[in-house]
Amino acid sequence: MEQELSVREVLTTEYVGVSESDSVLETVRLMREERAGCVLVVRGSEPVGIMTEWDVLGLVAEEGDPADTTVGEVMTSPVITVGAGWSLADAATTMGRQNIRNLVVESDDGIVGVLTQRDVIAAAGSFQGATSGTVEPPLETDRPIDQSRSPGPGEDLDAEPLPNGGDEFSTQGVCEACGSLADSLWDANGRLVCSDCRSV
């Protein structure tokens, strides 16, 4: 029987948690310090919202003051949760249908982590191995992010990745080092970076 890759195998377990009363400014500083694209907003142990960099950009676009604005005022709520045992394909489909980039992952014991769009993209190269019941080894440092398949025999692993061309999983995104939009992202020490930052 074929076995699919599960959410539990790729989720980010070390998420950043904040409260609704925290200021956006202090939370953004925490996000930068922890290199996180989102924070989970909790009330006790209950997830009540999520604040992403897009929520912060919305505040800036409306000329709001991050120091005088609370996380509760800009967070997206309610959060959308999935089970740790969900297949990664089902979770990715949920992201697409809901037009979101982060899902809260829960088990019977509570929150176990956050599944981000980056987690899904990084695992895209493992889908082939997952359907055969085996998991491909993790991407090595300075290898291009695979666009939905493993390299075939004789293919150059260090060749430039193709720009967006309609593949199911695209490598276009925001560089985690400099913040610029890039057509191709590379996995360098666990971060997705553009070609300029890759060479630094």
Side-chain angles (χ1 to χ4, degrees):
M1 177 179 257
E2 293 185 347
Q3 179 181 358
E4 292 187 72
L5 200 60
S6 72
V7 168
R8 182 183 289 104
E9 295 173 84
V10 300
L11 63 85
T12 300
T13 55
E14 295 183 6
Y15 61 89
V16 179
V18 298
S19 72
E20 298 163 88
S21 60
D22 290 337
S23 76
V24 171
L25 180 60
E26 288 302 317
T27 302
V28 167
R29 288 175 176 158
L30 179 62
M31 289 170 71
R32 285 178 53 84
E33 181 180 318
E34 298 293 330
R35 305 196 71 77
C38 68
V39 293
L40 188 58
V41 186
V42 292
R43 189 181 298 150
S45 61
E46 191 71 24
V48 294
I50 194 164
M51 187 182 87
T52 70
E53 66 273 10
W54 290 106
D55 296 317
V56 177
L57 287 173
L59 176 65
V60 172
E62 295 170 5
E63 299 182 5
D65 184 353
D68 291 334
T69 305
T70 65
V71 169
E73 295 175 73
V74 299
M75 69 181 185
T76 300
S77 183
V79 295
I80 297 176
T81 62
V82 298
W86 275 41
S87 74
L88 191 58
D90 287 343
T93 299
T94 299
M95 284 180 168
R97 287 180 178 162
Q98 299 292 332
N99 194 27
I100 57 175
R101 297 185 299 156
N102 305 280
L103 291 168
V104 175
V105 183
E106 291 186 309
S107 71
D108 293 338
D109 299 325
I111 303 169
V112 293
V114 175
L115 181 71
T116 68
Q117 185 180 51
R118 177 180 176 266
D119 296 328
V120 174
I121 292 171
S126 297
F127 283 143
Q128 241 182 357
T131 58
S132 65
T134 60
V135 178
E136 294 286 323
L139 294 172
E140 295 180 19
T141 301
D142 283 339
R143 288 280 173 86
I145 300 301
D146 193 1
Q147 290 189 349
S148 77
R149 64 177 180 81
S150 299
E155 286 187 78
D156 183 6
L157 291 174
D158 293 318
E160 285 292 317
L162 298 173
N164 294 336
D167 286 341
E168 182 180 359
F169 290 92
S170 163
T171 60
Q172 184 182 38
V174 177
C175 173
E176 293 183 5
C178 68
S180 64
L181 182 65
D183 283 333
S184 301
L185 294 177
W186 301 77
D187 182 28
N189 296 325
R191 296 169 57 203
L192 296 178
V193 299
C194 66
S195 57
D196 291 338
C197 293
R198 175 177 173 248
S199 61
V200 173

